Amino acid sequence: MVLTESAHMAIGSKAPDFELPEPLTGKSIRLNEATAGATATLVMFICNHCPFVVMLKPAIAALAKEYQAKGVAVIAISSNSIQTHPQDGPEKMAQDAKTHGGCLSLE
């Protein structure tokens, strides 16, 4: 795991914009684009090999669909290296997004 210094932000602050590849399309997408018009944004940092994520994927997808219907943008990000965790790579993230739907998966 890489040590990355966190920037402390006040609760309610707008997240800084960033860009990541979107596995379903292979195109890059910016946070501002993915959340345009949303009333709030839920960002989850997940990985495909985590036993808790595996167990909870149907519940996570159901929660995402429920809140997306209420105008909340839902984004799942896998921040693992595909060199050390190939099961968390874009192909698997895309497959999971197709299987479970409801989330925009970014790698």
Side-chain angles (χ1 to χ4, degrees):
M1 178 176 276
V2 177
L3 177 62
T4 303
E5 189 172 327
S6 297
H8 296 279
M9 299 173 61
I11 294 174
S13 298
K14 188 173 181 174
D17 194 29
F18 58 84
E19 183 175 341
L20 290 171
E22 198 286 305
L24 283 172
T25 64
K27 297 179 182 179
S28 290
I29 187 164
R30 302 191 69 80
L31 177 65
N32 289 343
E33 295 168 9
T35 61
T39 56
T41 303
L42 170 61
V43 178
M44 299 173 285
F45 290 89
I46 66 170
C47 65
N48 292 323
H49 73 277
C50 172
F52 298 107
V53 172
V54 170
M55 180 179 73
L56 293 172
K57 270 184 191 173
I60 291 170
L63 179 83
K65 288 178 185 176
E66 176 185 346
Y67 279 88
Q68 284 175 321
K70 297 176 182 181
V72 175
V74 179
I75 300 170
I77 298 174
S78 174
S79 58
N80 285 344
S81 166
I82 61 172
Q83 305 303 324
T84 57
H85 298 88
Q87 66 273 41
D88 293 335
E91 297 83 15
K92 180 66 172 149
M93 291 291 290
Q95 179 185 4
D96 281 356
K98 288 176 187 172
T99 300
H100 297 287
C103 287
L104 171 66
S105 297
L106 301 174
E107 193 244 308

